C-alpha cells in the first residue's frame, strides 16, 4: 500500500504572507517543486501580482497553470515532487458553482507527493450586502473547512507570522 502524502493548508487575509509561508513549507525538504497556479492574468494589476510571485519564487519551480481543472493538475503532477497550489480562492472564483470541492478533496487524499494549498480567510469580515457575494463567501468557507479536515497541517499567516492551527501526524517526514 502506498503511503498518502502530507497535505498542508495555508490560510490568511490579503497580504498576510500566506504565499511566502506556503513556498517556504513546500521547499522545506526539497530543492525544487511544482507550482500549480490558479490565477489568470486578465488585467495589468493581476499580471503585476503574478510577476511579483514568480520573481519571489526564483528558480527551482516548475509552473503548471490550472485555473479550472485543479484535480486533474494534481493527478498529472503527482510523482514529480512537492506541489504548491496557489490559490483555492481564485480556483473557486474561476469555477463558480461548477467547482467540485468533494472531488478535489478525494484527489488530495490519494496523493503520493506532498501538497501545500493556499487559500484566503474570508469569514472575518462584514457580511456582504448582496446574495452573490454571500453565496461565494459561504461556499468558500465550506471549501476551506473540507480541505482543512483532509489536511494534516493547517497554518495561518498573520502579519507575516506563521500560526500553526492543526498539528502534523506523528513522525512526519515532510514538515
Amino acid at each position: 500500500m502506498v503511503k498518502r502524502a502530507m497535505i498542508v493548508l495555508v490560510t490568511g487575509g490579503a497580504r498576510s504572507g500566506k504565499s511566502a509561508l506556503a513556498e517556504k513549507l513546500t521547499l522545506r525538504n526539497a530543492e525544487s517543486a511544482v507550482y500549480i497556479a490558479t490565477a489568470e492574468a486578465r488585467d495589468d494589476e493581476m499580471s503585476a501580482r503574478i510577476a511579483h510571485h514568480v520573481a519571489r519564487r526564483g528558480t527551482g519551480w516548475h509552473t503548471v497553470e490550472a485555473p479550472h481543472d485543479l484535480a486533474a493538475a494534481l493527478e498529472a503532477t503527482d510523482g514529480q515532487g512537492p506541489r504548491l497550489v496557489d490559490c483555492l480562492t481564485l480556483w473557486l472564483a474561476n469555477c463558480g458553482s461548477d467547482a467540485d470541492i468533494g472531488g478535489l478533496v478525494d484527489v488530495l487524499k490519494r496523493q503520493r507527493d506532498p501538497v501545500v494549498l493556499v487559500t484566503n480567510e474570508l469569514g472575518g469580515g462584514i457580511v456582504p450586502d448582496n446574495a452573490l457575494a454571500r453565496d461565494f463567501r459561504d461556499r468558500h468557507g465550506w471549501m476551506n473547512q473540507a480541505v482543512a479536515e483532509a489536511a494534516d497541517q493547517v497554518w495561518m499567516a498573520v502579519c507575516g507570522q506563521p500560526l500553526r492551527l492543526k498539528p502534523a501526524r506523528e513522525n512526519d517526514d515532510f514538515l
Side-chain angles (χ1 to χ4, degrees):
M1 175 180 233
V2 176
K3 179 181 169 185
R4 183 183 69 81
M6 175 71 73
I7 305 300
V8 178
L9 180 65
V10 178
T11 189
R15 298 291 187 217
S16 63
K18 61 188 173 293
S19 291
L21 173 59
E23 291 163 9
K24 181 179 176 182
L25 292 171
T26 303
L27 290 179
R28 189 147 189 193
N29 292 322
E31 293 181 17
S32 63
V34 176
Y35 185 93
I36 302 176
T38 62
E40 294 180 294
R42 296 180 179 171
D43 58 35
D44 291 342
E45 187 269 341
M46 185 54 93
S47 294
R49 283 178 179 261
I50 291 169
H52 172 75
H53 277 243
V54 170
R56 184 185 61 226
R57 284 195 309 270
T59 60
W61 293 88
H62 168 70
T63 301
V64 173
E65 295 184 9
H68 296 96
D69 201 348
L70 181 54
L74 286 165
E75 288 178 330
T77 58
D78 201 13
Q80 298 178 23
R83 277 87 34 88
L84 170 58
V85 174
D86 198 353
C87 85
L88 291 177
T89 303
L90 290 174
W91 171 73
L92 184 67
N94 292 340
C95 295
S97 60
D98 292 333
D100 183 3
I101 296 165
L104 172 62
V105 170
D106 288 342
V107 167
L108 287 170
K109 291 178 179 179
R110 294 192 306 265
Q111 296 300 289
R112 296 179 315 258
D113 281 335
V115 180
V116 177
L117 304 107
V118 175
T119 191
N120 288 279
E121 183 52 49
L122 303 181
I126 62 171
V127 175
D129 70 348
N130 66 78
L132 181 63
R134 286 190 300 273
D135 179 65
F136 179 79
R137 182 214 46 201
D138 291 349
R139 286 187 298 115
H140 188 273
W142 294 323
M143 174 189 67
N144 282 353
Q145 289 182 47
V147 175
E149 178 64 28
D152 300 292
Q153 292 184 1
V154 178
W155 293 80
M156 178 174 239
V158 180
C159 300
Q161 301 301 305
L163 175 63
R164 191 169 178 166
L165 303 177
K166 185 177 180 181
R169 45 184 192 227
E170 289 184 31
N171 302 318
D172 73 60
D173 57 0
F174 177 55
L175 300 175

